[in-house]
Amino acid sequence: MINDAHCHFFSSRFLELLAPDAGGGEKLAARLQWDPPGTATELGDRWIGELDRHGVSRAALIASIPGDAVSVAEAVAHHPHRFVGFFMHNPVSPDSDAVLARSLTEYQMAAICLFPAMHGYRLDEECVERVFRAAADRGAAVFVHCGVLTVGVRKKLGLPNRFDLRLGDPLALARAALGFPQVPVIVPHFGAGFFRETLMAADQCPTIHLDTSSSNNWIRFDGGQNLEGVFRSALAIAGPSRLLFGTDSSFFPRGWQTGIYEEQQRIMGSLGVSVADRNAIFGGNFERLFPG
Ligand SMILES: [Zn+2]
């Protein structure tokens, strides 16, 4: 069983919110050389076809800009056993509490995604504590993007990316997470450059999980490191039950990123990871956090 813990749902509404003056989602999709996303229902159906083609059972779909949980909710409503809703949230927005409540109840989102470097707050601030409290109350997970942050679509459209990378500090996250032992925490891309800090945080805090997604290009900042070494250390410290396979797949026609899956399976082989541990990493852990 393969479950993908990290896919972006680039809906028409996502495009409209990203660049409100660009003349609509369809025009923007053409500029990006993407297939037009259509309605959220159509895009969800396309994802199902894509997952079926690759033998992927379930996927987390991330609403990738604040205000787009509604699109992911629509896709999840049609395929509740295949999709798990994640949503980008800005906890320093004035209506944060109301948005959290609506997203977790009405929209049934299963994980709140924080991008502190993008929205400009520290992970040990009170606003993050409120996020954790909402997650604890509603049985949701918290996903926190730490480390380097590059948003391909923003880059491609020439949108400003004045991110403060200092704010994506896994050590500050560990402190927040320790206060809410019932809330699963996911750090994508092994901490995206703060690998050592992510391992320290995971070692200190048993609720911290690492997702393996993307090309993990951050490795170039980690002198001499390769993905095999990253997996070896992550397995030694976080252990197989806290690694979640993900691809970071996003737009069509590119679709699901088979290459990421194949490379990570190859690494499992070369590290001699047991079948049971592989099953946990590629599907079982996701199932445990987000029962279908
Ligand atoms: Zn991503």
Side-chain angles (χ1 to χ4, degrees):
M1 180 180 51
I2 307 170
N3 290 326
D4 188 335
H6 193 134
C7 296
H8 291 273
F9 195 70
F10 285 162
S11 67
S12 294
R13 184 181 165 86
F14 163 81
L15 290 172
E16 284 153 19
L17 291 169
L18 187 71
D21 305 322
E26 200 135 318
K27 236 177 158 172
L28 213 47
R31 231 170 97 192
L32 291 161
Q33 295 179 298
W34 295 359
D35 291 346
T39 65
T41 296
E42 287 164 348
L43 184 60
D45 291 347
R46 181 153 196 193
W47 267 105
I48 289 292
E50 186 72 0
L51 299 184
D52 287 346
R53 195 163 23 259
H54 294 285
V56 180
S57 302
R58 301 173 67 215
L61 296 182
I62 305 172
S64 304
I65 194 163
D68 200 32
V70 63
S71 300
V72 167
E74 187 177 315
V76 174
H78 288 289
H79 306 282
H81 302 294
R82 304 294 300 280
F83 294 147
V84 176
F86 285 26
F87 69 107
M88 184 192 281
H89 181 68
N90 179 0
V92 289
S93 71
D95 56 348
S96 172
D97 287 346
V99 172
L100 281 175
R102 188 164 62 244
S103 304
L104 297 175
T105 53
E106 191 183 332
Y107 298 150
Q108 299 275 305
M109 294 290 109
I112 306 161
C113 302
L114 301 180
F115 290 74
M118 182 185 290
H119 295 130
Y121 55 91
R122 289 165 51 121
L123 286 164
D124 52 4
E125 278 180 40
E126 205 246 333
C127 66
V128 175
E129 180 135 349
R130 295 169 83 90
V131 167
F132 271 88
R133 195 165 301 130
D137 289 348
R138 309 285 181 193
V142 177
F143 164 114
V144 185
H145 193 289
C146 297
V148 289
L149 179 61
T150 47
V151 184
V153 57
R154 297 185 66 93
K155 227 176 185 174
K156 234 168 151 179
L157 294 171
L159 297 171
N161 291 307
R162 201 172 173 199
F163 304 146
D164 187 342
L165 299 184
R166 296 170 300 176
L167 298 170
D169 177 1
L171 297 179
L173 170 64
R175 191 182 177 281
L178 281 167
F180 295 87
Q182 67 277 54
V183 177
V185 177
I186 301 169
V187 177
H189 326 307
F190 298 99
F194 283 146
F195 183 48
R196 185 186 66 139
E197 290 78 3
T198 301
L199 293 180
M200 290 163 71
D203 194 48
Q204 187 188 35
C205 179
T207 55
I208 292 182
H209 299 67
L210 317 186
D211 103 17
T212 69
S213 73
S214 89
S215 54
N216 285 297
N217 249 332
W218 59 264
I219 285 176
R220 69 192 195 280
F221 304 122
D222 202 329
Q225 182 66 280
N226 61 26
L227 193 55
E228 196 169 312
V230 167
F231 266 99
R232 189 183 296 112
S233 300
L235 283 163
I237 291 165
S241 65
R242 288 200 276 155
L243 298 186
L244 296 164
F245 164 71
T247 58
D248 212 2
S249 300
S250 54
F251 61 89
F252 291 97
R254 190 180 70 167
W256 198 69
Q257 293 293 282
T258 317
I260 306 267
Y261 172 74
E262 287 169 351
E263 184 188 18
Q264 296 189 7
Q265 277 290 12
R266 182 187 56 73
I267 289 171
M268 295 292 115
S270 72
L271 292 177
V273 176
S274 73
V275 172
D277 287 351
R278 280 193 211 203
N279 288 344
I281 295 165
F282 285 91
N285 296 333
F286 184 86
E287 213 60 34
R288 189 184 69 242
L289 296 185
F290 307 104

